[in-house]
Amino acid sequence: AALAGVVESPLSTDEDPNSFRQITTYNNFYEFGTGKEDPARFAGRLETSPWAITVDGACAKPGTLDAAALIADHRLEERIYRLRCVEAWSMVIPWVGIPLAAVLTPFEPTGSARYVAFETLEDPTQMPGQRSRVLDWPYREGLRLDEAMHPLTILAVGLYGRVLPNQNGAPVRLVVPWKYGFKSIKSIVRIRFTEEQPPTSWNMAQPSEYGFYANVNPTVDHPRWSQARERRIGEWGRRDTLMFNGYGEQVASLYSGMDLTTHF
Amino acid sequence: MARLTMARRSSRDRLWWWAVFVGCALPLAALGGWAATGDLGVNPIETIVRHLGDWALRLLVLTLALTPLRHLTGSTRPVRYRRMIGLWAFAYAVLHVTAYTVLDIGLHGPTLVDDLTQRPYIMVGMAALLLLIPLAATSTTGMIKRLGGRRWRRLHRLVYAAGLLGAGHYLLMVKADITQPMIYIALLGLLYGVRAGRWLAGRPV
């Protein structure tokens, strides 16, 4: 279904987006299987309506977000972002979304809230990939509060002007374009403000390979492969990977004074 | 290579030879077919590299299964095609590495040097290929004669290491779901176990 009233954003890239087919048939969404084509094949059984997201933790007004209400109550923006996967491929994706800050602020995070933790649905009947323990379910991700509140960070609810396909993380997913794709958690059912850095799935699985920050960084290699270059899906050659996935001007200040080799 | 002996073979043998040959060539033909019809998927280079690597490993494991198969069935037929299947495995391995260096990294020198010196899964995979080279080079009847059966057999024991390195290469590459590489490792474990059992029992391996 088409989404109404989507406005363009000055934060979009003018690069050519990947095709709808590329974006919806080449996915990492292990809840539906570890093959790239598994999510497109098996995500159809995920029931996305109704969908409630619990918001709690260090905030004055904990509560619940209804996905349909979230879409109805906010101005939807098209954000055409680069997405860089930790596996050294990339795409350009025309998301439709809402700035995460606009969603979180009404819950009034307290002064002690320093991080935001996210969780994906855990339900092996709808998500057959969860029957095998390739990751410690539910999928967990987290951001520092200032990263979560950054204008580039959105909750995506659509793609190409339409409702988000299940394999891309329907009904609501995170998109943090300067971080590797695995940070952009899909099908969110819980958001929690925390004082401590929350545990995150890939970091729990392989701490030496996936850090909490996971900022796109061509100078810090994954232990098993180089991050200096990437293949843009649809292209034959490789292109150089850009620091912070090309969003350095907007986000580098978030990390000033930090050693990005240790905080990878 | 088979021309020398082909004349004396029965038509049944000839049929088998072609069946095995075509069977080994099919995965390559399939790749060509997908390429021709634009059916290589969203990430064609990944599809090509993975497909070639998968078949190199599958055929390598198959060559290692032929002797146990002979012991199991009592038929010498399986081992008669070991050379051909082994050469096909080598061909797929060479194509796999070629696709990786040419198509995937685009012959980018710094990436190649980096990969060969710092990425364990690349180093292990490359070691597997290096071990296969002398085996392929000495696969002709003339080379077997020149080396002598005993030395030739000793040299060709390198295939056991190549199998493990190939499966290890796969294991080191995957991110989280190790099911597939573990299947190869389990198969190799089984095949090597059978050989070890026969060796301990003092029977020909």
Side-chain angles (χ1 to χ4, degrees):
Chain A
L3 291 164
V6 179
V7 298
E8 291 183 6
S9 165
L11 295 170
S12 287
T13 170
D14 55 7
E15 289 169 81
D16 287 336
N18 282 91
S19 69
F20 185 80
R21 192 184 141 263
Q22 288 169 330
I23 297 168
T24 57
T25 59
Y26 192 77
N27 306 100
N28 277 327
F29 198 171
Y30 281 13
E31 281 80 349
F32 296 104
T34 54
K36 290 282 189 295
E37 292 167 5
D38 289 340
R41 215 177 302 154
F42 301 118
R45 66 180 78 175
L46 179 68
E47 184 51 67
T48 59
S49 175
W51 189 277
I53 303 169
T54 305
V55 184
D56 59 6
C59 61
K61 295 182 173 165
T64 304
L65 277 171
D66 176 70
L70 181 77
I71 293 168
D73 293 349
H74 288 85
R75 194 181 70 151
L76 302 180
E77 295 181 36
E78 175 164 75
R79 297 280 185 103
I80 307 172
Y81 281 162
R82 291 176 290 277
L83 177 137
R84 169 62 155 81
C85 179
V86 74
E87 297 165 354
W89 54 266
S90 64
M91 293 193 192
V92 175
I93 302 181
W95 302 110
V96 175
I98 305 154
L100 180 60
V103 178
L104 294 184
T105 307
F107 294 92
E108 297 182 12
T110 64
S112 62
R114 292 189 55 227
Y115 296 90
V116 187
F118 302 84
E119 268 180 37
T120 297
L121 177 71
E122 183 177 16
D123 181 356
T125 59
Q126 295 190 72
M127 297 179 143
Q130 289 178 337
R131 281 177 216 149
S132 74
R133 300 213 60 89
V134 285
L135 289 171
D136 188 359
W137 313 114
Y139 195 88
R140 277 158 271 205
E141 260 309 335
L143 297 171
R144 232 167 46 192
L145 189 61
D146 57 345
E147 296 174 324
M149 295 298 188
H150 192 278
L152 281 171
T153 306
I154 59 168
L155 286 181
V157 297
L159 175 67
Y160 266 110
R162 290 181 252 177
V163 167
L164 197 63
N166 287 0
Q167 61 266 39
N168 294 90
V172 177
R173 68 168 290 168
L174 183 69
V175 175
V176 195
W178 71 92
K179 292 176 180 286
Y180 293 118
F182 69 86
K183 291 295 287 184
S184 293
I185 185 170
K186 303 180 179 88
S187 304
I188 299 167
V189 293
R190 188 166 187 208
I191 300 176
R192 188 173 171 80
F193 299 99
T194 67
E195 297 173 21
E196 305 292 325
Q197 181 178 303
T200 57
S201 288
W202 279 101
N203 179 251
M204 289 156 69
Q206 291 285 347
S208 63
E209 301 189 353
Y210 310 97
F212 174 80
Y213 285 94
N215 293 316
V216 175
N217 188 341
T219 66
V220 176
D221 286 341
H222 182 279
R224 288 186 287 154
W225 55 81
S226 168
Q227 294 293 25
R229 284 149 55 90
E230 67 198 48
R231 167 160 303 107
R232 177 69 52 83
I233 293 299
E235 294 180 352
W236 286 89
R238 287 191 183 231
R239 50 168 75 207
D240 288 337
T241 289
L242 304 174
M243 187 66 203
F244 297 114
N245 203 22
Y247 297 97
E249 220 172 284
Q250 292 107 306
V251 303
S253 61
L254 292 174
Y255 311 102
S256 56
M258 277 176 66
D259 180 354
L260 298 178
T261 311
T262 45
H263 296 283
F264 59 87
Chain B
M1 56 190 170
R3 220 174 295 136
L4 283 174
T5 46
M6 198 67 142
R8 285 186 285 112
R9 282 187 182 167
S10 68
S11 57
R12 194 186 144 125
D13 285 339
R14 197 175 294 223
L15 202 65
W16 265 104
W17 192 92
W18 278 107
V20 175
F21 184 89
V22 169
C24 289
L26 267 181
L28 191 59
L31 202 56
W34 296 333
T37 55
D39 220 11
L40 287 169
V42 169
N43 195 346
I45 293 176
E46 182 184 64
T47 305
I48 294 168
V49 173
R50 296 271 169 94
H51 183 80
L52 292 168
D54 280 344
W55 281 99
L57 195 50
R58 281 170 197 161
L59 293 178
L60 191 59
V61 172
L62 182 60
T63 62
L64 286 160
L66 297 176
T67 297
L69 202 61
R70 179 180 66 189
H71 295 146
L72 198 71
T73 63
S75 163
T76 61
R77 189 171 294 285
V79 291
R80 278 190 251 163
Y81 306 104
R82 183 163 51 198
R83 170 159 66 184
M84 176 160 65
I85 298 170
L87 282 170
W88 271 108
F90 178 67
Y92 278 102
V94 169
L95 289 171
H96 169 64
V97 174
T98 306
Y100 161 73
T101 47
V102 178
L103 294 179
D104 195 349
I105 64 175
L107 291 173
H108 189 251
T111 303
L112 193 60
V113 171
D114 220 39
D115 278 358
L116 286 173
T117 54
Q118 289 180 47
R119 317 276 170 236
Y121 86 93
I122 300 272
M123 293 190 272
V124 168
M126 214 45 106
L129 180 73
L130 288 177
L131 291 189
L132 290 180
I133 290 171
L135 306 195
T138 58
S139 66
T140 60
T141 311
M143 282 305 288
I144 298 173
K145 283 189 181 137
R146 202 177 307 171
L147 280 171
R150 178 190 291 267
R151 272 201 297 169
W152 187 88
R153 273 198 300 277
R154 207 180 294 156
L155 175 69
H156 278 246
R157 281 187 201 136
L158 284 176
V159 74
Y160 299 122
L164 271 185
L165 288 169
H169 162 68
Y170 191 6
L171 180 69
L172 289 172
M173 189 201 75
V174 298
K175 277 168 67 188
D177 185 1
I178 58 169
T179 317
Q180 293 268 348
M182 287 315 285
I183 290 172
Y184 287 107
I185 288 168
L187 276 173
L188 288 173
L190 180 74
L191 295 172
Y192 296 177
V194 167
R195 282 183 161 87
R198 288 182 65 90
W199 182 73
L200 287 173
R203 305 171 73 184
V205 175

